[in-house]
């Protein structure tokens, strides 16, 4: 290592507000990967980046170095265009489960490597694992062969993608350096671009139930994600979506799988389908299998009406060892021991359904984790959730709570009674799709 690349020198350059050179960025990411930088040096560097920022070219170099710190998939065996979607996370966001087979049914391969839920947002892997037998731990060879054969795989990380991110994310978590756009870009994109995709569509959420609640910051993040992915040769677009109330009417793993199956059968909730079509249209446009938005929409709708997307979901489940009969008999999904409604306290209109508060109630029921090692209960959660603007009669159910214990039911009822506000006057839900960038 040359003298100028001692960690303390690189840290000082960023501390003093300079743009780092490619060699300096490489040294930092290598230091995180091979342990040659101590945790205190990595942490100091993270704080320097947090305070001083990174230019767009630095962010792109950082992202690429992070991606190359681990396994980068080669899917050249797959002849179809390869597209993926990433969501920054929300409450009731089950869109990947039905969007991936819809897009695959339109001729675009979807090789999706997802994560588990932590905190108030759910994870695609946890939802899929509520399907009896479903394996998310395919080997890379199985993943590659499956994407070639059926154009679709939804798996967890079985090879080490972006190990530098694993190290840096753990340090960011304990040094108050998570909320930093260049670091978030490097973290999200290093893992997604290592999947072997050609194009990427991002669902960047804002609002109470989102990772980045502030809309202006979410726009900044979306624009940085699109620029960096594009600079790295992967055309990308971001759809900015509101996450103030939960998406759809179900929150909880098996309940969300059942709702996704409804979406594939053409009877999904309007808000969930609005986000699904918005993302799917951009995926088909970027993959160049649709010439216009209207054409993309038409193909996606046809995948539902023809049953092709539902059949693709059956194929996916069977290919990954799951019981595909859940598609026709959702009662084969895990069922909670107890169910109980939350009654509307008065007649009127639903004025608010606080996504974050609903997520906390679902966590209390056992649908999510507060620590990575927590076990989750796939059956529990909330279904038939009322939506903002709906009229309700006094005593009518505002949602149905699914639980494994009567005590949890009572606690969730109390929490949800505060999350869902019924008032005298009607209100309109704010627009769901804010804008599309890229
Ligand atoms: N998700 C990630 O994977 N990384 C971040 O930094 C933030 C959200």
């Amino acid at each position: 290592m040359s003298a100028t690349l001692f960690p303390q020198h690189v840290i000082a350059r960023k501390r003093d507000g300079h743009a780092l050179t490619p060699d300096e960025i490489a040294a930092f990411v290598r230091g995180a990967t091979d342990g040659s930088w101590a945790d205190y040096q990595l942490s100091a560097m993270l704080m320097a980046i947090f305070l001083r920022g990174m230019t767009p070219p630095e962010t792109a170099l950082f992202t690429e170095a992070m991606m190359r710190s681990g396994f980068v998939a080669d899917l050249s065996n797959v002849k179809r265009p390869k597209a993926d979607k990433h969501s920054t996370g929300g409450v009731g966001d089950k869109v990947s489960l039905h969007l991936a087979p819809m897009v695959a049914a339109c001729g675009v391969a979807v090789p999706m490597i997802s994560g588990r839920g932590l905190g108030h947002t759910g994870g695609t892997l946890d939802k899929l694992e509520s399907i009896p037998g479903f394996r998310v731990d395919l080997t890379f060879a199985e993943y590659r062969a499956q994407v070639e054969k059926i154009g679709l795989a939804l798996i967890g990380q079985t090879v080490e993608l972006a190990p530098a991110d694993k190290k840096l994310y753990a340090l960011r978590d304990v040094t108050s350096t998570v909320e930093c756009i260049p670091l978030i870009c490097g973290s999200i994109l290093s893992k997604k671009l290592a999947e072997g995709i050609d194009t990427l569509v991002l669902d960047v959420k804002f609002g109470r139930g989102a990772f980045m609640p502030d809309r202006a910051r979410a726009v900044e993040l979306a624009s940085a994600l699109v620029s960096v992915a594009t600079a790295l040769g992967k055309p990308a677009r971001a759809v900015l979506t509101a996450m103030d109330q939960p998406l759809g009417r179900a929150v909880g793993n098996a309940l969300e799988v059942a709702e996704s199956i409804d979406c594939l059968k053409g009877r999904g909730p309007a808000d969930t389908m609005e986000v699904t079509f918005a993302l799917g249209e951009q995926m088909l446009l970027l993959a160049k299998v649709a010439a216009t938005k209207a054409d993309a929409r038409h193909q996606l709708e046809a995948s539902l009406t023809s049953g092709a997307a539902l059949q693709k979901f059956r194929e996916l489940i069977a290919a990954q060892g799951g019981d595909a009969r859940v598609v026709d008999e959702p009662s084969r999904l895990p069922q909670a021991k107890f169910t109980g409604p939350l009654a509307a306290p008065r007649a009127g209109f639903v004025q608010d359904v606080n996504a974050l508060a609903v997520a906390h109630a679902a966590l209390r029921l056992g649908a999510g984790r507060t620590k990575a090692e927590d076990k989750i209960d796939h059956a529990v959660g909330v279904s038939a959730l009322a939506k903002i603007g709906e009229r309700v009669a006094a005593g009518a159910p505002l949602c149905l709570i699914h639980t494994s214990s009567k005590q949890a039911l009572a606690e969730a009822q109390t929490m949800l009674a505060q999350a869902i506000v019924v008032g005298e006057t009607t209100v309109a839900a704010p627009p769901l799709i804010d804008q599309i960038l890229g």
Side-chain angles (χ1 to χ4, degrees):
M1 185 190 288
S2 77
T4 52
L5 293 187
F6 283 134
Q8 57 272 37
H9 295 158
V10 183
I11 296 164
R13 293 237 318 128
K14 184 45 77 184
R15 178 201 64 197
D16 296 341
H18 299 288
L20 298 178
T21 65
D23 283 351
E24 288 168 335
I25 290 172
F28 166 49
V29 174
R30 198 168 46 242
T33 313
D34 66 11
S36 57
W37 282 36
D39 284 3
Y40 47 81
Q41 292 169 318
L42 295 170
S43 301
M45 185 65 170
L46 289 168
M47 187 56 84
I49 295 171
F50 185 95
L51 296 173
R52 292 297 197 166
M54 275 182 154
T55 63
E58 276 181 291
T59 309
L61 284 167
F62 171 62
T63 304
E64 187 168 18
M66 293 262 281
M67 176 183 82
R68 298 203 184 286
S69 71
F71 184 82
V72 180
D74 172 6
L75 293 182
S76 54
N77 60 320
V78 179
K79 299 306 170 210
R80 278 169 272 194
K82 298 171 280 288
D84 195 9
K85 162 255 173 187
H86 175 79
S87 163
T88 55
V91 181
D93 183 3
K94 70 279 297 170
V95 168
S96 291
L97 301 180
H98 53 273
L99 175 62
M102 286 168 68
V103 170
C106 295
V108 177
V110 185
M112 193 182 279
I113 301 183
S114 298
R116 297 192 180 279
L118 186 61
H120 78 271
T121 59
T124 300
L125 297 185
D126 299 318
K127 294 172 201 189
L128 287 167
E129 281 180 341
S130 63
I131 300 172
F134 196 99
R135 277 180 60 210
V136 297
D137 62 345
L138 302 193
T139 62
F140 177 66
E142 288 172 319
Y143 165 76
R144 203 168 183 267
Q146 184 177 310
V147 177
E148 185 175 5
K149 186 166 174 215
I150 68 165
L152 180 60
L154 267 70
I155 68 163
Q157 204 173 312
T158 42
V159 285
E160 199 154 33
L161 299 183
D165 177 59
K166 196 168 175 188
K167 177 73 191 177
L168 293 179
Y169 196 87
L171 291 173
R172 286 167 62 204
D173 215 17
V174 292
T175 55
S176 292
T177 51
V178 169
E179 302 89 346
C180 169
I181 286 179
L183 295 177
I184 298 170
C185 262
S187 173
I188 291 178
L189 292 178
S190 60
K191 290 170 286 192
K192 277 282 141 183
L193 301 186
E195 281 176 350
I197 48 172
D198 303 320
T199 57
L200 179 64
V201 171
L202 297 136
D203 179 359
V204 180
K205 297 195 177 291
F206 64 93
R208 287 171 303 196
F211 159 75
M212 187 71 93
D214 180 65
R215 181 181 164 279
R217 288 279 288 162
V219 173
E220 214 185 309
L221 173 62
S223 141
L225 287 164
V226 168
S227 321
V228 170
T230 308
L232 294 177
K234 305 290 175 187
R237 281 198 193 129
V239 182
L240 222 82
T241 63
M243 179 31 74
D244 269 311
Q245 64 172 330
L247 197 61
R249 295 184 185 273
V251 177
N253 298 286
L255 297 166
E256 292 190 44
V257 171
E259 191 164 71
S260 268
I261 293 171
D262 279 344
C263 293
L264 289 166
K265 290 180 177 168
R267 44 178 201 241
D271 63 341
T272 311
M273 293 316 296
E274 189 181 342
V275 172
T276 303
F277 285 124
L279 294 165
E281 284 161 10
Q282 297 307 320
M283 288 175 83
L284 297 197
L285 285 169
L286 275 185
K288 297 196 165 52
V289 301
T292 61
K293 207 165 125 183
D295 175 20
R297 175 69 179 242
H298 174 75
Q299 292 189 45
L300 291 162
E301 281 176 355
S303 80
L304 299 178
T305 49
S306 67
L310 191 64
Q311 181 54 21
K312 201 42 95 180
F313 192 52
R314 284 193 192 94
E315 274 176 57
L316 169 81
I317 297 173
Q320 294 189 213
D323 182 356
R325 291 175 299 177
V326 298
V327 168
D328 302 297
E329 299 165 60
S331 60
R332 289 183 178 274
L333 289 165
Q335 304 290 319
K337 231 177 177 165
F338 305 102
T339 54
L342 172 72
R346 55 180 291 176
F349 295 90
V350 178
Q351 295 187 328
D352 195 15
V353 184
N354 182 329
L356 188 58
V358 172
H360 286 152
L363 263 178
R364 167 63 194 93
L365 291 168
R369 316 182 167 77
T370 48
K371 298 187 295 303
E373 59 277 16
D374 287 349
K375 266 190 94 64
I376 61 171
D377 184 340
H378 289 107
V380 301
V382 182
S383 67
L385 253 177
K387 305 295 296 180
I388 294 177
E390 286 177 352
R391 182 196 282 273
V392 289
L398 292 173
C399 66
L400 190 62
I401 302 165
H402 303 243
T403 164
S404 57
S405 85
K406 289 207 163 143
Q407 193 195 333
L409 176 62
E411 283 178 34
Q413 271 166 331
T414 307
M415 292 169 87
L416 288 162
Q418 289 180 5
I420 307 176
V421 178
V422 179
E424 231 168 64
T425 50
T426 179
V427 290
L432 198 49
I433 312 291
D434 182 84
Q435 57 185 294
I436 297 176
L437 289 97

